[in-house]
Amino acid sequence: MNRHPIVFVHGLLGWGSDKLAGLPYFGMAGVSALLARVTTLGLRGSGALFPSVGPLSSNHDRACELFYQLKGGNVHYGVAHAVEHGHAETIKDWAKGARAQYPQWNAERPLHFVGQAQGASTARVLQHLVAQGDFFINPVTGAPYPTSADWIKSITSISALHNGTPTAYILGCSPQTGRIQRHSTAEYMLRTLFESSAIRSYFGLSLGQWTDLDAFQNGKDNAAYDLSIHGAQDTASIQDHPSTYYFSYLTSKAAPGVNLGFRYIAEELSRFTGPLSGLKWPIDNYRPWWENDGLAPVYSQEAPKWGQPRRIERSPGSGPFRPGRWNVMETLDMDHMEPVALPHFSLTLRDQRRQLHLYSRICRVALSLD
């Protein structure tokens, strides 16, 4: 058993507890965490944290924002990364960093991370960065924090995009490079968000590091590229760590049953055949990618598969679980958004109950780890 807090990391266009008047992106997760801690450990409080990171940003930038929102201080993106992509290295007077959610975070007081969709990739990039040990800057001393991979006890993914998704190309990313193409649906959607005064006022895109939004859109340092298969293959060097527990919950639904807004993409995913070029690991057969939840192929949700071989186990519901490998827990009859925000708008007791069951299980498993 352990008492480590659980951090919930939202996906693309998601939000944390400081936005939208506190409407929870993760639905019943807060209630589930509270019940799990009270019944398992007898502790008061949920031990759940819901930070906000850039809803359109790359996994690298989101991981940096996540670190400082938890630990505290001005967000640093790293000199080499900032120079490579042409944005600011630091955001000073960063409001979220001034209100650290868990300043005592270290290897002796690690955290559990639960990431939905892009949030799962963000958590993995965060572990990659803290494993380097000298990336993040302590705002008090000006020196790097002595971080390590052991700062993260477990990573749980829901509806993840570990290996990218053909959705990026269906919406207009280049099949040769993975970047957003001119005059594509992806570009139109991004421009609409940039130009919406309501989005800027009430939601915010958290792109303070960028002065040139064209450079942001046309480059590789954005969510669209990272969610493409080209972008996912760029992160193949990220390793699993022997002391960390990894879990994945899969979502799958036939196209007629997904939310109406995803139905077109679900149908296109179920017959996607490429071709894609310029990949480090070419794909000859797309059939394993066809089963999906409306946005993410089930194949991509299981575990990272590019680069070095991974240990993937089909885990029994009650364990025992072993660190350093991916425990594939179960396939849920849900579309991509049913585990998170969508039940807010359906207002059905069935959807609330399914969320409560899912997050209760996730929290209990995390708290049960040695």
Side-chain angles (χ1 to χ4, degrees), residues 304-333:
K305 296 175 181 176
W306 307 123
Q308 70 269 28
R310 309 274 175 172
R311 295 181 177 181
I312 301 175
E313 295 185 355
R314 306 287 168 175
S315 294
S318 58
F321 304 108
R322 293 185 288 177
R325 63 205 68 210
W326 283 88
N327 298 279
V328 179
M329 302 298 283
E330 64 180 288
T331 301
L332 306 163
D333 180 24

Side-chain angles (χ1 to χ4, degrees), residues 333-363:
D333 180 24
M334 292 182 172
D335 71 25
H336 193 72
M337 293 301 290
E338 282 185 273
V340 285
L342 194 59
H344 287 306
F345 306 105
S346 70
L347 300 178
T348 66
L349 183 60
R350 171 181 173 271
D351 286 334
Q352 308 290 345
R353 198 159 35 212
R354 292 170 76 200
Q355 272 197 356
L356 187 64
H357 173 76
L358 170 63
Y359 289 114
S360 293
R361 183 178 181 197
I362 289 172
C363 294

Side-chain angles (χ1 to χ4, degrees), residues 1 4 17 19 28 32 35 38 52 73 92 116 129 137 148 154 169 175 218 220 227 253 260 327 331 353 356 361 366:
M1 292 290 181
H4 310 315
S17 57
K19 293 187 177 181
M28 302 297 290
S32 300
L35 293 174
V38 169
S52 291
K92 296 186 181 298
Q116 185 263 348
L129 293 175
I137 302 298
S148 72
S154 72
Y169 310 103
N218 298 326
K220 292 184 175 182
L227 297 178
K253 208 158 199 175
L260 184 61
N327 298 279
T331 301
R353 198 159 35 212
L356 187 64
R361 183 178 181 197

Side-chain angles (χ1 to χ4, degrees), residues 59 124-125 162 226 230-238 280 310:
N59 286 316
R124 291 184 57 241
V125 171
H162 296 302
D226 277 358
H230 287 81
Q233 291 193 353
D234 282 351
T235 62
S237 61
I238 293 178
K280 296 176 182 177
R310 309 274 175 172

Side-chain angles (χ1 to χ4, degrees), residues 5 8 31 53 78-79 106-107 147 159 177 182 189-190 223 233 249 264 273 280 297 316 318 341 343 350 369:
F8 292 85
V31 176
V53 292
V79 176
N106 57 29
T147 58
S159 311
T177 66
R182 294 287 304 274
M189 294 170 66
L190 203 56
Q233 291 193 353
Y249 291 81
Y264 168 75
T273 57
K280 296 176 182 177
S318 58
R350 171 181 173 271
L369 302 175

Side-chain angles (χ1 to χ4, degrees), residues 165-167 170 252-258 262-274 285-299:
T165 175
T167 300
I170 294 168
S252 176
K253 208 158 199 175
V258 303
F262 305 145
R263 201 160 296 170
Y264 168 75
I265 296 174
E267 292 174 348
E268 292 297 307
L269 280 174
S270 67
R271 53 176 177 254
F272 185 83
T273 57
N285 179 17
Y286 288 92
R287 188 174 292 274
W289 296 72
W290 287 358
E291 184 184 356
N292 68 85
D293 64 3
L295 288 177
V298 173
Y299 176 84

Side-chain angles (χ1 to χ4, degrees), residues 55-78:
L56 297 172
S57 298
S58 67
N59 286 316
H60 178 101
D61 287 7
R62 285 162 54 99
C64 296
E65 293 161 8
L66 182 56
F67 179 90
Y68 285 102
Q69 192 166 165
L70 295 167
K71 191 69 177 172
N74 295 325
V75 62
H76 292 256
Y77 296 104

